[in-house]
Amino acid sequence: MFQLISLISAWAIPVMITFIPLYAFTRKVPVYESFVEGAKDGFGTAIAIIPHLVGMLVAISVFRASGALDFLMGFIAPALQGLGVPPEVLPLGLLRPLTGTGSLAYTTDLIRVHGPDSLIGMIASTIQGSTDTTLYVLTVYFGAVGIRNGRYALKVGLFSDIVGFIAAIAICMLAFG
């Protein structure tokens, strides 16, 4: 099973990078011109989201510096330990919806300490790939297009993060534990 997953992982991105432009070319889509046009649109979007991004980064910094993250971890960790889940992955589950960079730094640290082939390293990597930076996405993308009422998106996004976190742990414990 591990070899199959490794093989799929090794070939997924090169196949997609090759397939998409070739498919567009066969459909007579001007591939390079479409890319350049998208890049121009992306630059305008990047300028529009800067205020929203700064606000989100400040909120994340306050959350971490206030001790709220540590409080949540101390509250939830005993329950996870009772289920046999390594408590080291809990901060990742809490950080991932908030910050992609912070969660990636934490994942990198877990892999450095425990190793990439450890259960903790595999769970952390799977959580990184199966969850999203929900609050960041909602702040930046909703701010860029002017959406003001995103309450259902927030609920669904956070629920999806919880499901992704639980599924990543369960699948890794079944496949690699």
Side-chain angles (χ1 to χ4, degrees):
M1 175 112 171
F2 181 74
Q3 290 176 341
L4 177 63
I5 292 171
S6 296
L7 182 66
I8 292 170
S9 296
W11 282 98
I13 292 176
V15 166
M16 286 176 45
I17 288 174
T18 304
F19 174 75
I20 291 171
L22 286 176
Y23 181 74
F25 181 75
T26 62
R27 305 289 258 167
K28 307 276 191 241
V29 173
V31 177
Y32 182 73
E33 291 80 5
S34 297
F35 173 79
V36 170
E37 188 64 33
K40 285 180 188 176
D41 292 343
F43 185 73
T45 302
I47 297 299
I49 65 173
I50 287 174
H52 304 283
L53 183 59
V54 169
M56 180 50 110
L57 292 175
V58 168
I60 290 167
S61 296
V62 168
F63 180 73
R64 293 176 72 190
S66 70
L69 179 63
D70 295 331
F71 175 76
L72 282 173
M73 289 188 309
F75 182 70
I76 299 171
L80 288 179
Q81 280 181 318
L83 297 171
V85 176
E88 293 87 352
V89 299
L90 177 60
L92 183 58
L94 297 173
L95 282 173
R96 185 69 176 140
L98 298 173
T99 169
T101 305
S103 63
L104 182 59
Y106 188 76
T107 299
T108 302
D109 189 52
L110 285 176
I111 290 172
R112 185 182 53 76
V113 170
H114 299 282
D117 294 331
S118 68
L119 181 61
I120 291 172
M122 289 185 192
I123 290 174
S125 298
T126 306
I127 289 171
Q128 270 298 112
S130 62
T131 59
D132 203 354
T133 53
T134 300
L135 298 177
Y136 172 83
V137 168
L138 292 179
T139 300
V140 171
Y141 296 131
F142 281 19
V145 296
I147 295 174
R148 298 285 179 234
N149 186 2
R151 67 178 176 181
Y152 294 116
L154 178 63
K155 291 175 187 176
V156 170
L158 291 176
F159 179 74
S160 298
D161 287 332
I162 291 168
V163 169
F165 180 74
I166 293 168
I169 291 170
I171 290 170
C172 285
M173 291 181 79
L174 284 173
F176 308 116

